[in-house]
Amino acid sequence: MNTKKSPHTALIHSDYRAPAGFAAFPTAIHHASTVLFENVAAMRSGDWKDKNAYTYGLHGTPTTFTLEARLAEIEGGTQCLLAPSGLAAIAMVDFALLKTGDDVLLPDNVYNPNRELGRWLEADFGITARYYDPLVGAGIAELILPNTKLIWTEAPGSVSMEVPDLPAICAAARARGVLVALDNTWAAGLALNGFDHGADIVMQALTKYQSGGSDVLMGAVITRDRVIHDRLSLAHMRLGMGVGADDAFLVLRGLPTMRLRFEAHDKAARKVAAWLKTRPEITRVLHPALPDCPGHETWQRDFTGAGGLFSVLFDARYTEEQTDRFVDALQLFGIGYSWGGANSLAMPYRIAHMRKNWPDQGILVRFNIGLEEADDLIADIEQALELMK
Ligand SMILES: *Cc1c(COP(=O)(O)O)cnc(C)c1O
C-alpha cells in the first residue's frame, strides 16, 4: 500500500517488517488473541488442534507451542497441553475423561484441591469419587469397578509423602482398561519418569520447580497416546485454558537451570531431614529418601532423586499451639503454600482432618527447602524448636 496514510492510521498500520534471520537463545514472547490468516481459504481450512499452524491465541503461539514441546520431551511424552494452573490441569483431565455415571479413584493423600474437585464431581456431576490407601499397590485391582474410568496417583503425596507403587497400580489399571493420571510435580519430571512406570497421563504444576521463581502459576498435561491427547485437547479447548505469553516465557526461562536447582534443593533437604531425624521433638521424618517414610523402598526402586519438599511429625506431647509457635519463630522460612522456589517455606497441616484414615499422632509440618545454605536453615530450625517449648 503506497497511498499516504493519516498518522491516525499509521498508529495501527505499517509496511515495515523487521529483517528476518534474527537468532537468540530465548524463545520470543508472542502476545496474541487474534492470529492473522494469510487469506480466507487459510482461515477456512484452519484447525484449532493443529500444532503446526495458528488459529487463535488461546490455541497456541510459537511461545506456548515451544513450551509444550519442551515439556513433553523432558517428561518422555509426545504431546503436552498447558493450563493456567496446576489445578486447572487436573480439572482438564477430569472433564476430558469423566462423564455422568463414571467413577474416579483418588489416593487418600491426594493434593487437597483435587479432593475438593472430587467432591464437586460427586455433588453436581453424578460421578463417584472414591479414595484409596496410597500404599495399596496391586490391591487397587479390588477397588476397580466396571464404571471406573480414571485413577489419580501422586508420587509421593505432597503433604504426608507416601510413595505409591506406580507400576503395580498402573498394571492393575491397564488390565481393566482404566487410565492412570500421575501428578508428577514433586519429582519435576526429573526424578521419576511417569510413562516408563506405567502412567497414561502425566500432570505437572509448573508453578513449582519449572518456574522456580515463586512468580508463575501454570500447569501441564503430557501424554504419549494420541487418542488420549485428543480427548484432553477437546476439554482444553472447550474450557478455554489459555496461558499468558509472559508466564510461558518465565517457565521456558526456568527450564535450563531446573536440574541445578532441583539437585541443590535435594541435597539441602536431605541434610536438613537427616538433622531433624536426630531431634527428640520429631518422631518421624517423612522424606521419601529416609526409611521413616511409607513407600521408601518404592522410592529407592523407582526414583533417581528427591526434591526440596518433605514433612515431619512432631512428638504428640507438643500441642498445636506449640508447633504453631515453632513455625512463627522460624526466620528463614516463609509461611505459605506452594514450593519449588528459592525461598524456604514451612507449613503446618491439620492432617487428620484431611484424611479418611490417618493413624499417627502429632502435628505435621511440611518444609520446602529452598536454595539457602542448609546449615543456616538447620540453625534457624534449632532456635525455633527451643522457642517452641
Ligand atoms: C501446587 C500443586 C498443584 C497445583 O498447582 P497450582 O499451579 O498451584 O494450581 C497440584 N499438585 C501438586 C502436587 C502441587 O504441589
Side-chain angles (χ1 to χ4, degrees):
M1 195 163 87
N2 289 319
T3 50
K4 191 160 160 30
K5 294 189 281 268
S6 146
H8 297 167
T9 300
L11 289 171
I12 302 159
H13 291 268
S14 169
D15 292 333
Y16 177 77
R17 295 290 175 270
F22 176 77
F25 288 116
T27 305
I29 305 175
H30 291 274
H31 284 277
S33 49
T34 299
V35 169
L36 294 176
F37 296 97
E38 194 65 33
N39 50 43
V40 174
M43 178 275 292
R44 293 230 163 94
S45 65
D47 176 3
W48 63 266
K49 287 193 290 303
D50 185 0
K51 302 271 183 189
N52 294 304
Y54 306 102
T55 50
Y56 188 52
L58 194 57
H59 306 143
T61 66
T63 315
T64 56
F65 282 174
T66 302
L67 179 55
E68 286 177 348
R70 302 219 36 211
L71 293 167
E73 199 175 345
I74 293 163
E75 209 76 39
T78 46
Q79 299 89 17
C80 171
L81 294 162
L82 299 174
S85 68
L87 182 57
I90 294 170
M92 188 209 313
V93 172
D94 284 350
F95 283 99
L97 303 179
L98 299 171
K99 62 179 187 327
T100 303
D102 287 347
D103 175 64
V104 57
L105 284 165
L106 301 134
D108 195 25
N109 61 354
V110 74
Y111 176 65
N112 213 41
N114 192 351
R115 182 184 284 266
E116 182 54 39
L117 196 51
R119 282 193 200 102
W120 192 33
L121 294 175
E122 289 221 291
D124 289 350
F125 295 91
I127 294 163
T128 51
R130 292 177 301 133
Y131 300 88
Y132 65 89
D133 174 354
L135 298 171
V136 70
I140 195 90
E142 287 153 41
L143 301 174
I144 295 174
L145 298 172
N147 63 334
T148 304
K149 293 290 157 57
L150 177 66
I151 299 173
W152 272 102
T153 54
E154 278 182 34
S158 62
V159 176
S160 48
M161 310 306 292
E162 301 92 335
V163 186
D165 188 341
L166 195 58
I169 291 173
C170 293
R174 182 143 308 169
R176 301 281 291 274
V178 178
L179 296 176
V180 176
L182 166 68
D183 183 335
N184 201 21
T185 304
W186 186 82
L190 296 180
L192 174 74
N193 185 292
F195 295 114
D196 288 351
H197 290 83
D200 300 290
I201 296 154
V202 173
M203 171 261 151
Q204 283 286 346
L206 309 172
T207 307
K208 312 291 163 52
Y209 293 115
Q210 285 82 355
S211 128
S214 309
D215 51 4
V216 176
L217 287 154
M218 201 181 293
V221 180
I222 299 138
T223 50
R224 260 186 192 173
D225 180 301
R226 187 86 231 172
V227 175
I228 300 170
H229 170 76
D230 287 346
R231 291 175 71 189
L232 293 165
S233 300
L234 206 53
H236 185 263
M237 182 273 282
R238 286 172 169 164
L239 294 168
M241 295 225 181
V243 304
D246 291 312
D247 286 347
F249 172 79
L250 286 173
V251 177
L252 279 162
R253 196 175 198 272
L255 294 181
T257 59
M258 180 163 76
R259 173 197 167 183
L260 299 178
R261 291 184 280 107
F262 192 80
E263 287 175 359
H265 287 293
D266 183 349
K267 192 166 164 226
R270 288 199 218 199
K271 189 167 187 184
V272 175
W275 179 82
L276 281 161
K277 183 64 199 151
T278 67
R279 295 294 305 198
E281 300 89 346
I282 304 296
T283 52
R284 290 171 72 198
V285 179
L286 303 172
H287 185 302
L290 293 181
D292 271 4
C293 189
H296 164 66
E297 297 77 20
T298 309
W299 176 83
Q300 278 185 312
R301 185 192 68 192
D302 293 346
F303 289 66
T304 57
L309 194 79
F310 68 93
S311 299
V312 297
L313 281 176
F314 277 81
D315 190 287
R317 73 175 177 272
Y318 297 105
T319 62
E320 187 173 68
E321 198 191 335
Q322 286 179 297
T323 55
D324 283 358
R325 207 182 310 148
F326 161 77
V327 173
D328 281 335
L330 292 165
Q331 304 287 310
L332 295 176
F333 291 78
I335 304 167
Y337 293 108
S338 199
W339 38 280
N343 292 73
S344 289
L345 299 169
M347 195 60 150
Y349 281 90
R350 289 180 162 156
I351 185 82
H353 297 259
M354 295 161 62
R355 299 286 292 272
K356 266 198 322 194
N357 298 302
W358 180 255
D360 283 301
Q361 304 291 309
I363 303 290
L364 184 147
V365 173
R366 185 179 81 173
F367 295 104
N368 164 57
I369 301 301
L371 298 175
E372 303 93 339
E373 187 60 46
D375 288 335
D376 291 342
L377 297 176
I378 288 170
D380 188 26
I381 295 172
E382 190 165 25
Q383 65 79 25
L385 286 172
E386 292 313 319
L387 278 180
M388 168 182 85
K389 289 172 193 166

